[in-house]
Amino acid sequence: MQRPRPWVIVPGIWDSEPEHWQSRWQDERAARDARVERIAPSSWTEPDAPDWRDAISRAVDASDAPPVLVAHSLGVLAVADWLVTEPAVADRVAGAFLVAPPDPDAEAFPSAARGFTAPTGPAPVPTLLVVSDDDPYCSPGRALAFAGTLGAEVRRIGPAGHVNVAAGVGSWPEGRRLLDGFADRG
């Protein structure tokens, strides 16, 4: 039996609290086989895009095999940027599982994260963008435009808010099934 691919967890602004699905999944994975890394930028509260790019690179480089990037919210924009700016990405990661992108042009976008931008080019690895139909930080139309720019597969999950603790998704078993199916393809 093949070992599951490692993951790199890329949370959004302020990191993901312990009750967030990303943190729960990370804890479960670490308890089973420890093939999970979490980015550690120095700028969680005043996010700096280059700092987050460097943090993604460090976490990817710490993986024992090409990981799947598992990003939420601002982490989606950080991963989209990393995928088009970092060299040899296709050799370093297996894919990107992106959930609930925020729209940097939207009024609700945090002013502290203004250095982050919408995706600018195609992802060089398989990418799945998970979109909520009632995300307060990004309209479905804008998220679909991001997917088009990335060349990403899209999975619309209906009304799920920002797919976070406040939206009540808990450990989000549906999302875990999506990630497992996506990661198993490669």
Side-chain angles (χ1 to χ4, degrees):
M1 182 172 147
Q2 185 178 5
R3 288 178 68 189
R5 289 195 180 280
W7 300 339
V8 167
I9 304 290
V10 186
I13 192 170
W14 306 301
D15 200 356
S16 291
E17 60 264 61
E19 298 81 25
H20 194 284
W21 57 265
Q22 279 184 312
S23 298
R24 289 177 177 197
W25 294 1
Q26 178 181 351
D27 291 347
E28 291 166 7
R29 174 57 75 94
R32 272 200 329 270
D33 64 17
R35 297 188 83 206
V36 60
E37 298 289 333
R38 187 183 195 105
I39 69 164
S42 60
S43 61
W44 280 122
T45 58
E46 296 290 330
D48 175 68
D51 177 41
W52 284 44
R53 271 195 306 273
D54 291 345
I56 293 169
S57 290
R58 286 190 305 273
V60 166
D61 292 343
S63 291
D64 64 356
V68 172
L69 304 175
V70 180
H72 177 257
S73 193
L74 190 62
V76 171
L77 299 183
V79 166
D81 177 52
W82 187 85
L83 288 171
V84 300
T85 59
E86 189 68 18
V89 165
D91 296 332
R92 296 172 65 197
V93 297
F97 181 80
L98 311 176
V99 179
D103 181 354
D105 295 330
E107 192 173 306
F109 191 76
S111 60
R114 289 289 175 203
F116 289 74
T117 62
T120 60
V125 296
T127 302
L128 176 64
L129 183 66
V130 180
V131 177
S132 168
D133 288 338
D134 64 349
D135 191 329
Y137 296 101
C138 189
S139 71
R142 187 78 163 132
L144 294 175
F146 293 168
T149 299
L150 289 166
E153 177 185 345
V154 174
R155 179 61 61 99
R156 291 180 74 167
I157 59 170
H162 195 50
V163 197
N164 59 5
V165 173
V169 299
S171 63
W172 194 36
E174 174 191 359
R176 182 57 192 271
R177 285 189 294 275
L178 288 172
L179 173 58
D180 289 344
F182 175 74
D184 288 346
R185 290 188 221 163

